[in-house]
Amino acid sequence: MASTSSLTLSQVVLARSVPRHGSSNPHLPSSLSLPTFSGLKATPTTTATPTAANASSTRRRSTPGRRQAQVLASAAVETLEKTDTELVDKSVNAIRFLAIDAVEKANSGHPGLPMGCAPMAHIIYDEVMKYNPKNPYWFNRDRFVLSAGHGCMLQYALLHLAGYDSVQEEDLKQFRQWGSRTPGHPENFETPGIEVTTGPLGQGIANAVGLALAEAHLAARYNKPDAEIVDHYTYVILGDGCQMEGISNEACSLAGHWGLGKLIAFYDDNHISIDGDTDIAFTENVDARFEALGWHVIWVKNGNTGYDEIRAAIKEAKAVKDKPTMIKVTTTIGYGSPNKANSYAVHGSALGAKEVDATRANLAWPHEPFHVPEEVKKHWSRHIPEGAALEAEWNAKFAEYEKKYPEEAAEFKSIITGELPAGWEKALPTYTPESPGDATRNLSQTNLNALVKVLPGLLGGSADLASSNMTLLKSFGDFQKDSPAERNLRFGVREHGMGAICNGIALHSPGLIPYCATFFVFTDYMRAAIRISALCEAGVIYVMTHDSIGLGEDGPTHQPIEHLASFRAMPNVLMLRPADGNETAGAYKVAVVNRKRPSILALSRQKLPQLPGTSIEGVEKGGYIISDNSSGNKPDFILTATGSELEIAAKAADELRKEGKTVRVVSLVSWELFDEQSAEYKESVFPASVTARVSIEAGTTFGWQKFVGDKGKAIGIDRFGASAPAGKIYKEFGITAEAVVAAAKSIS
Amino acid sequence: MASTSSLTLSQVVLARSVPRHGSSNPHLPSSLSLPTFSGLKATPTTTATPTAANASSTRRRSTPGRRQAQVLASAAVETLEKTDTELVDKSVNAIRFLAIDAVEKANSGHPGLPMGCAPMAHIIYDEVMKYNPKNPYWFNRDRFVLSAGHGCMLQYALLHLAGYDSVQEEDLKQFRQWGSRTPGHPENFETPGIEVTTGPLGQGIANAVGLALAEAHLAARYNKPDAEIVDHYTYVILGDGCQMEGISNEACSLAGHWGLGKLIAFYDDNHISIDGDTDIAFTENVDARFEALGWHVIWVKNGNTGYDEIRAAIKEAKAVKDKPTMIKVTTTIGYGSPNKANSYAVHGSALGAKEVDATRANLAWPHEPFHVPEEVKKHWSRHIPEGAALEAEWNAKFAEYEKKYPEEAAEFKSIITGELPAGWEKALPTYTPESPGDATRNLSQTNLNALVKVLPGLLGGSADLASSNMTLLKSFGDFQKDSPAERNLRFGVREHGMGAICNGIALHSPGLIPYCATFFVFTDYMRAAIRISALCEAGVIYVMTHDSIGLGEDGPTHQPIEHLASFRAMPNVLMLRPADGNETAGAYKVAVVNRKRPSILALSRQKLPQLPGTSIEGVEKGGYIISDNSSGNKPDFILTATGSELEIAAKAADELRKEGKTVRVVSLVSWELFDEQSAEYKESVFPASVTARVSIEAGTTFGWQKFVGDKGKAIGIDRFGASAPAGKIYKEFGITAEAVVAAAKSIS
C-alpha cells in the first residue's frame, strides 16, 4: 500500500495484511497501547500526535481546560450554528467531490448517497460528534454507523477531513483496490474509525441499536452522580433499503421498547433505490411506523441545503431522552449532478467523466480531483486538538472516578480494555462420569451463571425462548427501559435483529461479551448477522439449543439437519457441539477466549450422560481421543462423533471391543479448532494408516468424508426430520450404536 | 399408521411414506384425479363421496342449484349469523377439547393457542370459508394459513369437524407420532387441507401474502365480466411471535403496497409468548404499524366470546376491497383453563391430567377425550354437501368459460393443473462455442424472457436488484395494485419476505412458477424461507447472481464463500451453478421440471466464454464430461469445477495436455442431480481407479473431498473475500489455471 510510509505508529500496529482471519493475526495485538487502557494514563499517549498530546496534557491539568472541553462537548450544536454558511457549503461540496472522484478513479462505487447525504454528514461529523481522530478507540467517543454502507465514500471523506490517519489522500485514491483501507463497503477491521461492518442492508441500524444499548447499560452500571464516565451518542444514517429490510423493523422495535434516547437515526429519504423510484415497492408511511415503534420522529424537508433544519432536528432529538429519534431527511440522491441526480443511475455507478465535469460546473467546484480547499482543511483541522482535549478531559474524569470508586473502575476497565479477569476460567464447572446426566442446554445455563459472576462484560438473552434455551442469568434482572443496568436481554421473537444487536454490543467495547440464543434451526433467520459477526470479528456467543432430531415432536421445521455443515463451511466461525458437562465447559472456555470470532454452541434438548474421557483441554484442541484400547497408534477402528452422538459412538466402541477389536473414539467437537492443530497432533488422533473409520452425527453427512476418508463411512441424516418422540426418530433414522457397529464391520 | 384401513381413495393416493423428498415420490402423482383437472369434468369425481358427488351433479345441472350455491358462497356470513349461540359454544368447546385431548395424549404440543383462538377459528371454518372437504385441492377454495403453526391442533380439529378425510379421529389420537398425518406443526405435504408449512414464525403470514397475490393475479388475467372463475379469500391467524419477526413486516408492507383486499389476517392478540407477558419485549403499537403499512385495521376486543364482534369484523374486512385487513382479536391464551389460562404455562406444554379435568369442569364439558357431541357433528356435516355443491357450481361456471374463452381456459388449466405446455423446452436457447461470451446472469435473463412466452405460470422478480440480477420480463409490466395481471414482481429490499411470498405463490396452484432474485450472498437473509421451499416442496426458482469473488469491488460483505456448500448440505434443494449458455439453459430446464423442489441458480456477474462440450443434457445429469483426451476410462487426471471456474479447469487441461497428459474435465453443475445417477454412470465420470483429481471452485473447499478423494486436491477459498477488481482477487486467491496445473502435478 503506497501510503505505508506515512503511517503513524498506531496505524502500523493496526494495519492488517491479507489473509486476516485467524487467531495468529489479531486485530488489536496486546502491544497496542490504545485499547489496553494506557490511553487513560496521565502521560501523553505514544499514538497521539505531538500537538494533540500537548493539548491533551495541558488541558487535563487545569480546571479551565477541563471546563473548556466540557463546553466543546455539551454545546457543540449551539456553538457551531454560527459557522459561516459559505464555508459549510464548501465543506459539503468537498465531501461530495471526494466521493465523486474516488468512485470515478475506481470506476466502481456508489456516488449517489454521499452526494445527497453530505449536508447532514458534514453537520454530524463537524458540528455534533465527539471523537478523537488520533485515537479512534477512545472509549467515550460518539459512535457513527453508515447503515447504508454502499455509500462508504461518504464516511471515508469524513474520516479524511476529520484527520483520522486511517484515511489519507492516498487511501482515497486506492478506493476499492486490493489491500487498501478503503474497501467497497465499510469494514471496521480494515479502517480504524469505522465502528461496524455494513453493506448488507439493515445490519447497520441494528448494530447501532446494540451500540446504544451498550452505552445505556454501561452508563447505568458505572456512572455516578458526581462522575458521568459513560456518556455518548450513537448516530446512524440509513436509507430506503435499510428501511425495507425486516431486520431493521425488529431492531427498531426493540430500540423503541428499550427507550434508547441516545440513538439518533437519520433516514436518507431520497425515494430512489436500485430498481428506480421507491414508489414501485415501498409506499408505506415510514414516519407513522416509527411512531408506532415508540420512536420520536422529525422530518427535515430540505436535506439538501437546509443546514439549520438539520441542526434544529438534532437539537430536538437530543432533548428527547426517553425515546430514540428518527430524523427523516428528505434529500436528492446524487445532488449536484445535472443529468443524473434523483435517478437510480447515480446510485451505484461512477458518474462518468462528462457528468463529473458537468457536476463540477453545476456546483461551482473548479478544483482538481481529490483537492480539498485550504479553508475547508483549516476548518476541520481543529478536530485533532479538540479531540485530544476531549479524551484528556475524559481521562482526567476517569482518574478521579478511579480514586473514588476503585472497584467499579477496575471492572469498568476490564470491559473497555477486554482484558479478562485473572483466573476467570476457574469458574467453569467440571464433571466426572459419576455426575448426573443432563441436557447440554442445562449445562450451558450452569456455565452462563457461573461465568457471569466473574466476567463483568457478559450479558445476553434469548429470542423469546429463555426457558427453553436455558439462558437466564439468575442473579440479574431484565435489561429494560427502567432497569438498564441488568444483564438479561429480552429480544422477543427477533432472531435477526438479536444477532446484529449483539454484534453492536461486542464492537462497542472489547470486554463486552454478548450471548444470544434460539433454537439451532432458527440460525437460518439470523445467518446474515452471524456472517457479519464472523467477518467483523465480533466474539458473540451463539447459544443454540435443540440441536438435532433429538428435539422430537416439533418435527422437521424445527429440526436442524444441514446447520452444522453450513457453519463449518463459514469462515472465521467456531462451530462447537459439546457432548456433556466437561465439553460444554470447554466450549464456553473457547467462546470466551475467542474475542475475535463468534462461537456457535449447538446444545441438546435431551439428557446426555457424562462421558469418561471428555475434558475442557480436549475441547480446546477441537478433536481428541476420549477412549482407546489400542496401542501403537493403530486401532482397528476409529469411531468419531460430536455432541449427543458421542455417547452412541462410545457404546458402539464397547460392543466392538467386546468382540476383541481395538477401537478409538474421537470427539470432534470443533472442526475449526482441530484444523488449527499441528500435523503431528492430527496424525496422533487420525493416523493416515487407519482407514476403517466411522462417523456418526444426527445431521447431514455433508463434509464428513474429510475425516472418514474414501474407505470410511459417515452415518447421518441426509433428509428432513420428522415429528415423533426423539427416541423413535433416532431409531427410525438409524442413528444408533448398532448402525455404527454394522458400518464398522462392513469396512473392516 | 393405524388409520390406514379407513382411508378413502384420495387419501390412499395422497398418503406419503417416509422418506418423502425425492423426484421418485411426487406429492401429486399423475394418477390422482384432483389436481389433474378432472375435477372440472361433468361426471362425478372418483374421490368425492357418493353424497357429495350426487349433490354436485344435481346442482351443477340446474340453474336453481347454481343459484343456491351462489347464495351459499356469497352470503355465508349473513346466513350464519343466525346460528344458535349455544351450538356455537359447543362447537368452539369441541375444538378446544380436541386440541387439549390430543396434546394430552401426546404429552407434547401447544394447547394455549387453540383454546384461545377456537371462537374465531370456528367462525372462519364454519361460517365464512368456501371449501370442499372431499377435494382439498379444489381450485377456487378459500385458503387458510395458521401462521402461528405451533397451534396446529386448532387446524387439525377444524379439518376433522369439516369432514376432511385427512384428519380422522384416529389421526387426532396420533398427534405428533411417527408416520402420522398430524405432525407437530402444519405440513402441507403430510396433510391435505393444510395449504402451507408453518411453524417457523412469520413464514405463514408471508406465504399468505403470496397466496393472495396469486389470487389477485389470476383473477386479473382470467376473470371476465361474465365469468369470475377466480374469486377466493386468504385467511390467516398469526400471533405475537409472527408480529415480532421482521419477515412479517416485509411481507405485510408489500401486501399493503399491492392493496391485496382479499387477504384477511386475524392477529391473536393474547399478550403471552414463551418468555411470559409480551410487555417484556413487545410494546409497539401494532395497529398503528399496520395502518402505516397500508392495511385496514379492526379491533375485536372480546375474542373469547364475542362471536358477533368477530362476524362483524369479517364483514367489514370483506367490504374493504383495496386494502388487506388485519383484525386484531384480543383473546385469552388457554381460555377455559382455570389455573393456566393467560400464562406462558399453557403455551407449549400439555395441561396435565388435573388441569384438563379442571378445564372440563370449568367449561362444562362432560365428554370423554376426543368426543364430539352429535349436534356439533351434525352441524358441521353440511360442509360435505355444500362443499361439493360449491365445487360443482364452479365447475359448471368454468365449463361455460371454456366454451366462450377457449384460449384463456387452456392456459388457465395449465396453471391450475401444473401440466407444462407441450414442447415448452424448445424455447430454451442453445449456444455454440462460437456464440459470444456473456455473464450467466445475462444468459439467465435470456432464458427467463424465452420461457415466459411458453410458460403461462412463470412470474417473479427481484429484491430491488432487477437490473443487476437481470430478471425483468421485457414483454410484461409490473404487478402493481392497478396492474395485477402483470408478471414482474417488485419486492423491494425484502429478501426474506420475497422467498416466503414465492412459496405461497408456488403452493397456490401447481402451474404457478415463481422466481425470485438477489445477490447470492443475500440468500443468508432468506435462508429460512428457502428451507421451507425445500421442505414444503415448493418449486421456487431462486435466481442468485454475483455468485463469487468474481463480483469484485463490493468486497467480502457481498462475496459468497460458503453459500454453495451450505445449500448442497440442505435436503431437497437443487443447487445449480452453470458455466455458460448451454448450462444456464440446462439449469432452467431442470428448475422448471422440478416442481416439487426449489432450484437455486448461482450466476456470474462477470462475462464467461461459451465452452465446448457443455450441454443441457449434461446439466440434467448434474455432472458430466465436457472434454477428455484419454481412452479406456483412465485419464491421468480428472479436473472438475463448476460455473465460472469450469473455464479455468478447461484451460488447465489444455496446458497439461500440451505436456502429453490425458486429462478429463468434468462439470459438476449440480451435486444433487449427479448423486441421483446410476453407479455405472458415476463410475464412467469418476472412475474409482483415477485418484489424481483436482477441483476448483471460487468458494469454500468444504465438501469437495467427496469428489477429489483422499489423494486429490481441492482448490477454493476458505476465508472471506476482498474488495478489489475481480481479476486481481482471482489471482491473489490462487483461483487460476496455473494453480490447477501445479496441484495436478503435485499429486501425479
Side-chain angles (χ1 to χ4, degrees):
Chain A
M1 194 164 61
S3 63
T4 306
S5 59
S6 63
L7 289 179
T8 66
L9 174 62
S10 67
Q11 285 177 303
V12 172
V13 179
L14 288 168
R16 304 178 56 240
S17 60
V18 172
R20 63 182 163 261
H21 290 286
S23 54
S24 63
N25 189 5
H27 179 180
L28 297 172
S30 58
S31 62
L32 174 63
S33 60
L34 299 179
T36 56
F37 217 79
S38 70
L40 297 173
K41 292 185 183 154
T43 51
T45 71
T46 55
T47 51
T49 64
T51 314
N54 293 348
S56 160
S57 61
T58 307
R59 289 187 186 150
R60 187 168 47 237
R61 286 172 193 146
S62 64
T63 308
R66 183 146 68 236
R67 221 176 279 133
Q68 186 182 339
Q70 280 169 336
V71 169
L72 278 170
S74 62
V77 174
E78 291 78 354
T79 311
L80 287 150
E81 276 178 13
K82 295 166 203 152
T83 308
D84 172 46
T85 300
E86 207 174 303
L87 182 59
V88 175
D89 281 341
K90 272 195 187 153
S91 172
V92 167
N93 280 333
I95 295 166
R96 288 192 177 116
F97 280 96
L98 287 176
I100 291 169
D101 295 338
V103 172
E104 201 63 22
K105 183 163 191 302
N107 193 25
S108 172
H110 301 74
L113 183 141
M115 293 165 76
C117 289
M120 67 178 106
H122 166 86
I123 290 169
I124 296 169
Y125 259 83
D126 187 56
E127 303 182 8
V128 176
M129 270 176 62
K130 291 184 305 178
Y131 56 88
N132 179 5
K134 295 301 172 193
N135 180 4
Y137 303 103
W138 169 45
F139 167 76
N140 204 36
R141 70 194 181 277
D142 289 334
R143 269 68 171 176
F144 175 81
V145 173
L146 184 64
S147 190
H150 52 274
C152 56
M153 262 314 305
L154 176 75
Q155 200 174 359
Y156 298 147
L158 294 163
L159 294 176
H160 177 63
L161 293 174
Y164 283 77
D165 296 323
S166 49
V167 187
Q168 307 203 7
E169 186 178 327
E170 193 52 37
D171 297 302
L172 296 174
K173 290 178 177 168
Q174 289 295 310
F175 180 53
R176 296 190 150 221
Q177 302 309 304
W178 179 260
S180 86
R181 284 182 298 191
T182 48
H185 289 84
E187 293 164 357
N188 58 300
F189 52 92
E190 293 288 7
T191 319
I194 302 288
E195 300 287 352
V196 298
T197 291
T198 59
L201 294 173
Q203 299 291 331
I205 176 69
N207 293 164
V209 173
L211 292 169
L213 180 155
E215 197 271 350
H217 175 68
L218 294 176
R221 276 172 72 180
Y222 296 106
N223 280 352
K224 303 286 178 184
D226 59 345
E228 292 219 334
I229 55 170
V230 184
D231 177 24
H232 51 268
Y233 284 83
T234 303
Y235 300 97
V236 195
I237 293 180
L238 72 165
D240 290 304
C242 292
Q243 292 286 21
M244 290 188 246
E245 292 284 8
I247 184 178
S248 66
N249 195 69
E250 290 180 9
C252 291
S253 179
L254 281 168
H257 170 75
W258 287 326
L260 298 174
K262 287 160 92 174
L263 173 61
I264 300 178
F266 298 79
Y267 163 33
D268 176 27
D269 171 48
N270 66 28
H271 276 270
I272 297 291
S273 64
I274 294 176
D275 277 355
D277 196 297
T278 53
D279 277 354
I280 67 171
F282 186 51
T283 50
E284 64 176 59
N285 183 335
V286 179
D287 307 30
R289 176 160 64 88
F290 270 73
E291 277 165 9
L293 297 180
W295 286 55
H296 182 65
V297 177
I298 306 169
W299 182 16
V300 169
K301 293 182 187 170
N302 175 11
N304 293 329
T305 58
Y307 305 139
D308 285 339
E309 268 189 78
I310 296 169
R311 290 172 181 134
I314 297 171
K315 198 169 169 181
E316 181 181 330
K318 288 191 166 185
V320 176
K321 311 254 183 224
D322 61 342
K323 289 180 176 185
T325 295
M326 184 187 80
I327 304 175
K328 182 170 89 169
V329 188
T330 299
T331 69
T332 303
I333 191 169
Y335 181 87
S337 162
N339 303 302
K340 295 190 170 180
N342 199 30
S343 83
Y344 71 91
V346 79
H347 168 89
S349 309
L351 293 178
K354 200 173 148 192
E355 188 64 12
V356 171
D357 288 347
T359 307
R360 278 196 149 72
N362 189 39
L363 293 177
W365 194 257
H367 312 291
E368 287 299 296
F370 298 101
H371 178 78
V372 178
E374 276 311 311
E375 62 267 46
V376 174
K377 275 190 190 165
K378 188 166 167 257
H379 174 71
W380 280 83
S381 68
R382 77 188 189 290
H383 289 289
I384 291 175
E386 282 180 10
L390 286 166
E391 179 170 351
E393 170 63 19
W394 185 86
N395 286 349
K397 189 189 276 187
F398 184 78
E400 283 181 37
Y401 181 95
E402 201 169 14
K403 273 181 218 155
K404 287 192 199 167
Y405 311 103
E407 273 182 47
E408 289 92 330
E411 208 179 80
F412 179 74
K413 264 185 171 178
S414 101
I415 287 175
I416 76 170
T417 62
E419 210 169 297
L420 296 172
W424 68 272
E425 69 278 4
K426 287 177 196 145
L428 293 167
T430 54
Y431 300 83
T432 68
E434 290 69 41
S435 305
D438 207 347
T440 49
R441 62 172 170 154
N442 292 332
L443 297 160
S444 163
Q445 188 173 42
T446 304
N447 278 273
L448 283 170
N449 279 280
L451 288 171
V452 78
K453 290 176 187 154
V454 294
L455 298 176
L458 186 70
L459 76 168
S462 160
D464 195 48
L465 288 169
S467 55
S468 290
N469 301 142
M470 308 306 289
T471 47
L472 276 185
L473 302 172
K474 292 170 186 173
S475 46
F476 291 93
D478 287 354
F479 174 94
Q480 294 288 358
K481 190 188 281 199
D482 298 325
S483 54
E486 300 296 338
R487 289 157 75 176
N488 284 299
L489 305 178
R490 301 290 199 164
F491 291 104
V493 192
R494 302 182 182 95
E495 298 84 5
H496 201 179
M498 173 171 75
I501 287 169
C502 285
N503 286 338
I505 295 171
L507 295 179
H508 182 278
S509 293
L512 287 178
I513 307 179
Y515 68 89
C516 64
T518 184
F519 290 161
F520 189 31
V521 79
F522 298 139
T523 49
D524 285 348
Y525 275 68
M526 57 194 304
R527 192 169 170 90
I530 296 176
R531 190 176 206 258
I532 296 281
S533 303
L535 179 62
C536 79
E537 303 177 350
V540 177
I541 303 177
Y542 290 94
V543 180
M544 296 292 151
T545 71
H546 296 59
D547 72 345
S548 76
I549 51 163
L551 64 86
E553 291 88 344
D554 274 345
T557 51
H558 285 54
Q559 291 164 352
I561 295 292
E562 68 279 19
H563 299 74
L564 291 165
S566 80
F567 287 111
R568 287 171 183 152
M570 188 182 276
N572 207 40
V573 166
L574 290 172
M575 179 70 246
L576 297 137
R577 190 164 185 252
D580 65 0
N582 289 329
E583 288 204 349
T584 304
Y588 271 99
K589 185 171 180 194
V590 165
V592 169
V593 166
N594 277 274
R595 299 289 77 234
K596 295 283 172 194
R597 48 181 171 175
S599 297
I600 305 176
L601 278 61
L603 302 164
S604 76
R605 178 190 187 221
Q606 71 272 31
K607 191 171 165 176
L608 302 173
Q610 307 294 349
L611 295 170
T614 58
S615 70
I616 290 176
E617 300 70 38
V619 173
E620 291 178 294
K621 294 201 168 87
Y624 66 106
I625 300 166
I626 65 159
S627 74
D628 195 348
N629 65 333
S630 73
S631 59
N633 206 20
K634 281 193 176 174
D636 296 328
F637 297 107
I638 299 176
L639 309 183
T640 180
T642 72
S644 45
E645 287 69 66
L646 192 59
E647 173 194 6
I648 295 175
K651 276 187 192 159
D654 287 343
E655 288 304 312
L656 288 165
R657 286 168 191 156
K658 277 182 203 160
E659 299 179 21
K661 303 291 184 186
T662 57
V663 186
R664 172 176 298 177
V665 179
V666 175
S667 171
L668 262 175
V669 56
S670 167
W671 294 17
E672 301 81 14
L673 292 175
F674 185 71
D675 276 351
E676 292 169 11
Q677 304 306 310
S678 67
E680 293 70 25
Y681 179 75
K682 288 185 208 170
E683 172 69 15
S684 77
V685 178
F686 287 107
S689 61
V690 181
T691 59
R693 305 178 185 181
V694 179
S695 69
I696 183 159
E697 185 170 70
T700 180
T701 59
F702 192 88
W704 271 101
Q705 186 157 357
K706 175 172 174 176
F707 293 104
V708 298
D710 292 352
K711 295 181 182 160
K713 286 212 171 168
I715 297 173
I717 306 168
D718 292 317
R719 49 156 291 180
F720 285 115
S723 173
K728 177 72 175 170
I729 313 177
Y730 265 83
K731 205 180 149 194
E732 292 284 346
F733 282 13
I735 308 299
T736 61
E738 295 71 42
V740 175
V741 170
K745 288 180 179 173
S746 77
I747 55 177
S748 65
Chain B
M1 193 166 61
S3 64
T4 307
S5 60
S6 63
L7 289 178
T8 66
L9 173 63
S10 69
Q11 286 177 303
V12 171
V13 178
L14 289 166
R16 303 178 56 241
S17 59
V18 171
R20 63 183 162 260
H21 291 288
S23 55
S24 62
N25 189 7
H27 181 179
L28 297 172
S30 59
S31 62
L32 174 63
S33 59
L34 300 178
T36 55
F37 218 77
S38 70
L40 295 173
K41 291 182 184 157
T43 50
T45 71
T46 55
T47 52
T49 64
T51 315
N54 292 348
S56 160
S57 60
T58 306
R59 288 188 186 150
R60 188 168 45 240
R61 284 173 195 146
S62 65
T63 308
R66 183 145 69 235
R67 221 176 280 136
Q68 185 181 338
Q70 280 170 333
V71 168
L72 279 171
S74 61
V77 173
E78 291 78 354
T79 311
L80 288 150
E81 276 177 12
K82 295 166 202 152
T83 308
D84 172 46
T85 300
E86 207 174 303
L87 182 61
V88 175
D89 281 342
K90 272 194 187 151
S91 172
V92 167
N93 280 333
I95 294 165
R96 289 192 177 116
F97 280 96
L98 286 175
I100 291 169
D101 296 338
V103 172
E104 201 63 22
K105 184 164 191 301
N107 193 25
S108 172
H110 301 74
L113 183 142
M115 293 166 75
C117 289
M120 68 177 105
H122 166 86
I123 291 169
I124 295 168
Y125 259 84
D126 187 55
E127 303 182 8
V128 176
M129 271 176 62
K130 292 184 303 178
Y131 55 88
N132 178 5
K134 295 301 173 195
N135 180 3
Y137 303 103
W138 169 44
F139 167 76
N140 204 35
R141 69 194 182 276
D142 288 335
R143 268 70 170 175
F144 175 81
V145 173
L146 185 64
S147 190
H150 52 274
C152 56
M153 261 314 306
L154 176 76
Q155 200 174 358
Y156 298 147
L158 294 163
L159 294 176
H160 177 62
L161 292 174
Y164 284 76
D165 297 323
S166 48
V167 187
Q168 308 204 4
E169 187 178 326
E170 193 53 36
D171 297 302
L172 297 174
K173 290 178 176 167
Q174 289 295 310
F175 179 53
R176 295 189 151 222
Q177 302 309 303
W178 179 261
S180 86
R181 284 182 298 191
T182 48
H185 289 84
E187 293 162 358
N188 59 299
F189 52 91
E190 292 287 7
T191 318
I194 301 289
E195 300 287 352
V196 299
T197 291
T198 59
L201 295 172
Q203 298 291 331
I205 176 68
N207 293 163
V209 173
L211 292 169
L213 180 155
E215 196 271 351
H217 176 67
L218 294 177
R221 276 173 72 181
Y222 296 106
N223 281 351
K224 302 287 178 184
D226 58 346
E228 291 220 332
I229 55 170
V230 184
D231 177 22
H232 50 268
Y233 284 84
T234 303
Y235 300 97
V236 195
I237 293 180
L238 73 163
D240 291 304
C242 292
Q243 291 286 20
M244 290 188 245
E245 291 285 7
I247 183 178
S248 66
N249 195 71
E250 290 180 9
C252 291
S253 179
L254 281 169
H257 171 75
W258 287 326
L260 298 174
K262 287 161 93 174
L263 173 62
I264 300 178
F266 298 79
Y267 164 34
D268 176 28
D269 170 47
N270 66 28
H271 275 271
I272 297 291
S273 65
I274 294 176
D275 277 356
D277 194 299
T278 53
D279 277 354
I280 67 171
F282 187 50
T283 50
E284 64 175 60
N285 183 334
V286 179
D287 307 30
R289 176 161 62 89
F290 270 73
E291 276 165 11
L293 297 180
W295 287 54
H296 182 66
V297 176
I298 307 171
W299 183 15
V300 170
K301 291 181 186 171
N302 174 12
N304 293 329
T305 58
Y307 304 140
D308 285 340
E309 269 190 77
I310 296 169
R311 290 172 181 132
I314 296 171
K315 198 168 169 181
E316 181 181 330
K318 287 190 166 186
V320 176
K321 311 254 185 226
D322 61 341
K323 289 180 175 186
T325 295
M326 185 186 79
I327 304 175
K328 181 170 88 168
V329 188
T330 299
T331 68
T332 303
I333 191 170
Y335 180 87
S337 162
N339 303 302
K340 294 190 171 179
N342 198 30
S343 84
Y344 71 91
V346 79
H347 170 88
S349 309
L351 292 178
K354 202 174 145 190
E355 188 64 12
V356 170
D357 288 348
T359 307
R360 278 196 148 72
N362 189 41
L363 293 177
W365 193 257
H367 311 292
E368 287 298 296
F370 298 103
H371 178 78
V372 177
E374 276 311 312
E375 61 266 45
V376 174
K377 274 191 192 165
K378 189 166 166 254
H379 174 72
W380 280 83
S381 68
R382 76 187 189 290
H383 289 289
I384 291 175
E386 282 181 10
L390 286 166
E391 179 169 351
E393 169 63 20
W394 185 84
N395 286 349
K397 190 188 276 186
F398 184 78
E400 283 181 37
Y401 181 95
E402 201 168 12
K403 274 183 217 154
K404 287 192 197 165
Y405 311 104
E407 273 182 47
E408 290 93 330
E411 208 178 81
F412 179 74
K413 264 185 172 177
S414 101
I415 287 176
I416 77 170
T417 63
E419 212 169 296
L420 296 172
W424 68 272
E425 69 277 5
K426 287 178 197 145
L428 294 167
T430 54
Y431 301 84
T432 69
E434 289 70 40
S435 306
D438 206 347
T440 49
R441 62 173 170 153
N442 293 333
L443 297 160
S444 163
Q445 187 172 43
T446 304
N447 278 273
L448 283 171
N449 279 282
L451 287 172
V452 78
K453 290 177 187 154
V454 292
L455 298 176
L458 187 70
L459 76 169
S462 159
D464 195 47
L465 288 168
S467 55
S468 290
N469 302 141
M470 308 305 289
T471 47
L472 275 186
L473 302 172
K474 293 169 186 173
S475 46
F476 291 94
D478 288 354
F479 174 94
Q480 294 287 0
K481 190 188 280 201
D482 298 326
S483 55
E486 299 296 338
R487 287 157 76 175
N488 284 300
L489 304 178
R490 300 291 198 162
F491 292 103
V493 192
R494 302 181 183 96
E495 299 84 5
H496 201 179
M498 172 171 76
I501 288 169
C502 285
N503 285 338
I505 296 171
L507 295 179
H508 181 278
S509 293
L512 287 178
I513 307 179
Y515 68 90
C516 64
T518 183
F519 290 162
F520 190 33
V521 78
F522 298 138
T523 49
D524 285 348
Y525 275 69
M526 58 192 304
R527 192 169 169 91
I530 296 176
R531 190 176 205 257
I532 296 282
S533 303
L535 178 62
C536 80
E537 303 177 350
V540 176
I541 303 177
Y542 291 94
V543 180
M544 296 293 151
T545 71
H546 295 60
D547 72 345
S548 77
I549 52 165
L551 65 85
E553 291 89 343
D554 274 345
T557 52
H558 285 54
Q559 291 163 351
I561 296 292
E562 68 279 19
H563 299 74
L564 291 165
S566 80
F567 287 111
R568 288 170 183 154
M570 187 181 278
N572 207 41
V573 166
L574 290 173
M575 179 69 247
L576 297 137
R577 191 163 184 252
D580 66 0
N582 289 331
E583 288 205 350
T584 304
Y588 271 99
K589 184 169 181 198
V590 164
V592 169
V593 166
N594 277 273
R595 298 289 78 235
K596 295 281 173 195
R597 47 181 173 175
S599 297
I600 305 177
L601 278 61
L603 303 164
S604 77
R605 177 190 188 219
Q606 71 272 31
K607 190 171 166 175
L608 302 173
Q610 308 294 349
L611 294 170
T614 58
S615 69
I616 290 176
E617 300 70 37
V619 174
E620 291 178 293
K621 293 201 168 86
Y624 67 106
I625 300 165
I626 66 158
S627 74
D628 194 347
N629 65 333
S630 73
S631 58
N633 205 20
K634 280 192 176 177
D636 296 329
F637 298 107
I638 300 175
L639 308 183
T640 180
T642 71
S644 45
E645 286 70 65
L646 192 59
E647 172 194 7
I648 295 175
K651 276 188 191 159
D654 287 345
E655 288 304 312
L656 289 165
R657 287 169 190 154
K658 278 184 204 161
E659 299 180 22
K661 303 290 186 185
T662 58
V663 186
R664 172 177 298 178
V665 179
V666 174
S667 170
L668 263 175
V669 55
S670 166
W671 293 18
E672 301 81 14
L673 292 174
F674 185 71
D675 276 351
E676 292 168 10
Q677 304 306 311
S678 67
E680 293 70 25
Y681 178 75
K682 287 185 207 171
E683 172 69 15
S684 78
V685 178
F686 288 107
S689 63
V690 181
T691 59
R693 306 177 185 181
V694 178
S695 71
I696 184 160
E697 184 170 70
T700 179
T701 59
F702 192 87
W704 271 102
Q705 186 159 355
K706 175 173 175 176
F707 293 104
V708 298
D710 291 352
K711 295 181 183 162
K713 287 212 171 169
I715 297 174
I717 307 168
D718 292 317
R719 49 156 292 179
F720 286 114
S723 173
K728 178 73 176 169
I729 313 176
Y730 264 84
K731 203 179 152 197
E732 292 284 346
F733 282 11
I735 309 298
T736 59
E738 295 71 42
V740 175
V741 169
K745 288 182 178 173
S746 76
I747 55 176
S748 66

